[in-house]
Every structure is written in C-alpha cells, then in structure tokens.
Amino acid sequence: MLKLSKKNILFLALLIILGSFLSSCRIAENIAKDEENNIHVDYSAEQMLLITASRKKHINDFYTNAIWDVPTGEEYASYNDVFLEEMQVFFIQLKVLNSMAEESSGTLNSKETGDVKDAALKFYNELKNSSVNFGNIDYSDVEKMFIEYATALKFRNSMANDKSLEVSENDARVMHLQRVVLDSEEKANEVYGQVTAEGADFASIAKANSIDKNVVISVGHEDLDPVSDEAVSVLSDGQISGILNVDSKYYIYKCIEGYDKDATAAKKTKLLNDRIDAKLKNSYNQYLMSKQVDIDDKAWNKMIKELSNIDLDSMSVDFMNSFREADIW
C-alpha cells in the first residue's frame, strides 16, 4: 500500500477531495428524493466538531485569527464562510468515499481496524482530560470518525495499485542546468566559443550575454521544448550542448546535474499522487451519477454553534494530529 507522508495524512481531506469534486450547487441538487439511492451523512454535531475544530485550529495557528474575517467576494462574506462550506463538502465526501469503499470491499481489515481503534481510544482518553467541551461525545463517536477517516485513506491509497498510474524515473527526472539564450546565430557562435574554452565560467558568461537572465534552471522533460529536451537528456554532468535553434532563438546548455535523485523521488511521488487523485475524482463523480446525498442540517447547524464556543488557543486535543501520530500506514 502507498505510504503517505505525515504531512499528506494531516491534510488528506483538504488536499485530495475538497473543492473540485463537489460544488455547493451539486450538494443542493443531490438532496435525496428516493431513499433507496440516498447516501445520508449521519455524523452527529459532536463528531463533525472533532475534525472541524482540529482543522480550524491548524489554520488559526498558521494565519492567526485575523484570517476568519477576511473578505472573499460577493458569494461569501468572509473566509469563515468559505471554511464552513469546505468542511460541509468534506463530510459529504468522507461519507461518499466510505460508501464507495464498502461497495468495492475496500473497508479496513481486522488488523487495521484494531490499530485504528487503539488510536481512537488513545485520543478519547486525551479528550476526556481536555478543557475543551465537545458536548456529550462518547468513545463510540470517536471510534466511528477514526474508522471513517482511515477507510477513506485506504480507499484512496488503493488507487495506487493501478499499474497504469505508475511513474517512471525518466518521467519524473529532474535535471539542473545552466543555459544561455541568444537572439542571433552570430552571437550564439561567439558565446559558444567562450563557454567551451578551457576553464570557462559558463554561468558568468551566460549572465553577461543571455537575453533570458534566468540562467540556472531545474527542469523535467515537460519543461523543455522537444529539441532542447533531446539534447540535454544525453549530457553527462559538466558537458555542454551544441547550439540549438528553437523558434528563432539560440540555446546553449550546460548540464550541472543530469539526475537529482532526491528531487526526482519527490517529483515522482507528487506525479503519482496527482494521477491517483485524478482517478479518484473521476471514480467519485461516476459514482454520484447513480446516487444522491443529503446531510442533516440540524446537526450541521448545531456543530457551527458549538464550534463558535471553542477557544482554539487553549485547545490541546487534535483529531488530525492524533491520527497522524498513530502512524497506521
């Protein structure tokens, strides 16, 4: 199974499934009329408060509490309104992903369930000793949210088993180059003679002559035109390309590092995650074509009211951090 970084786990919900999957208009259109096709978001106000307060604290700590009153446009009065809209979408998507996992036999196995329950119990004990009031929440409420969150993670990660999503080293390759960009062949020949002279300082010559002052670049194949990409891809560290004529401009490259192992690994992970999330988004949207979703307005409004009473500065318990620290995957 793909192992997410701790940062990715921490912000899983808001990174992979918020915003683009389901607009607020779609939510309104999907209020169920046929109970048989309904997916009901059955989280209580207290259960939703656990995650919403945790996420709000992360944002508050990073931006300070001034962020909540920032105007965001005509549709929303402030960022706080945007935040609440995003969290409502999150809970709908969390429930939908769990429904998808159940239908595809992608729920937690016995060991995973045991690990998640252990993490939930640890968090619940911390919660009981906290000064923050989460209403009449009990252990079963906490356990359910840990299991639902873990199931959504597992279902998302299962997409990585699709071999068609694999990213090759070459696809993700990151190269560090220096280059000169010139607008005449005559000047290009002159500069080429300078940079290929014994002991020449390519970077200094490039800075003095290039019409593009960005002479040090880190790139992948997709960042270069085909002619340049083909030329630099075969260079060894320290080698200089010939003069390349592309769209009436003349390029000379020096390979500083033709394969940055660490940067390539990071890019490979990002590209894989992008492909997984694109597949997840498509599967999610296809699934909702035959389903309808509703959320309990009464529970949601109660959660908003209770959220306003929480002192984020004194809040020590954190759902997301507790899940991350459990290191279940």
Side-chain angles (χ1 to χ4, degrees), residues 95-312:
K95 179 55 66 176
V96 172
L97 289 177
N98 272 264
S99 178
M100 293 172 70
E102 184 175 354
E103 290 190 17
S104 63
S105 300
T107 53
L108 305 181
N109 60 36
S110 57
K111 182 183 184 307
E112 291 165 344
T113 300
D115 290 343
V116 172
K117 286 184 176 181
D118 288 344
L121 181 59
K122 181 176 183 293
F123 175 77
Y124 180 66
N125 288 332
E126 294 173 355
L127 194 65
K128 287 194 299 182
N129 295 322
S130 168
S131 61
V132 179
N133 181 16
F134 283 91
N136 296 320
I137 196 165
D138 59 25
Y139 170 71
S140 63
D141 294 319
V142 173
E143 178 188 288
K144 177 175 180 176
M145 298 314 290
F146 266 77
I147 288 177
E148 298 261 317
Y149 196 74
T151 300
L153 265 174
K154 181 178 180 179
F155 182 72
R156 185 265 181 187
N157 290 354
S158 70
M159 300 286 176
N161 296 328
D162 184 345
K163 297 297 183 183
S164 69
L165 302 182
E166 289 183 352
V167 180
S168 70
E169 289 289 309
N170 188 53
D171 286 342
R173 179 182 176 185
V174 175
M175 300 171 282
H176 301 300
L177 310 169
Q178 294 174 354
R179 72 176 178 186
V180 190
V181 185
L182 303 158
D183 54 9
S184 78
E185 185 175 8
E186 180 181 2
K187 184 66 174 178
N189 287 324
E190 176 189 336
V191 171
Y192 186 75
Q194 295 177 26
V195 298
T196 55
E198 186 175 353
D201 185 336
F202 189 101
S204 296
I205 296 170
K207 289 177 182 177
N209 293 277
S210 181
I211 61 174
D212 183 342
K213 298 307 178 183
N214 186 24
V215 301
V216 179
I217 57 175
S218 296
V219 296
H221 296 296
E222 71 282 0
D223 301 311
L224 297 170
D225 64 85
V227 173
S228 296
D229 182 45
E230 182 177 0
V232 302
S233 293
V234 297
L235 295 178
S236 299
D237 293 358
Q239 284 189 321
I240 297 173
S241 73
I243 299 171
L244 309 174
N245 185 351
V246 180
D247 296 332
S248 300
K249 291 183 180 178
Y250 299 86
Y251 296 81
I252 306 169
Y253 290 90
K254 181 176 181 178
C255 178
I256 304 303
E257 187 176 3
Y259 172 66
D260 183 328
K261 183 177 180 180
D262 292 339
T264 297
K267 182 178 177 181
K268 187 174 182 179
T269 298
K270 181 182 184 305
L271 289 174
L272 177 59
N273 282 329
D274 288 346
R275 292 179 184 183
I276 292 170
D277 294 338
K279 180 178 179 180
L280 179 60
K281 175 181 176 180
N282 182 65
S283 299
Y284 183 99
N285 287 335
Q286 288 292 322
Y287 184 77
L288 279 188
M289 290 181 68
S290 60
K291 303 287 183 180
Q292 293 185 324
V293 185
D294 74 78
I295 188 168
D296 186 345
D297 287 338
K298 184 177 180 180
W300 177 252
N301 291 332
K302 181 182 178 184
M303 189 283 296
I304 294 176
K305 182 178 179 180
E306 292 177 352
L307 179 65
S308 66
N309 294 324
I310 289 182
D311 181 0
L312 297 175

Side-chain angles (χ1 to χ4, degrees), residues 14 51-52 55 83-91 300:
L14 303 177
I51 297 179
T52 304
R55 178 58 182 158
F83 169 75
L84 292 174
E85 176 74 11
E86 287 178 340
M87 291 309 302
Q88 186 179 70
V89 172
F90 163 71
F91 288 113
W300 177 252

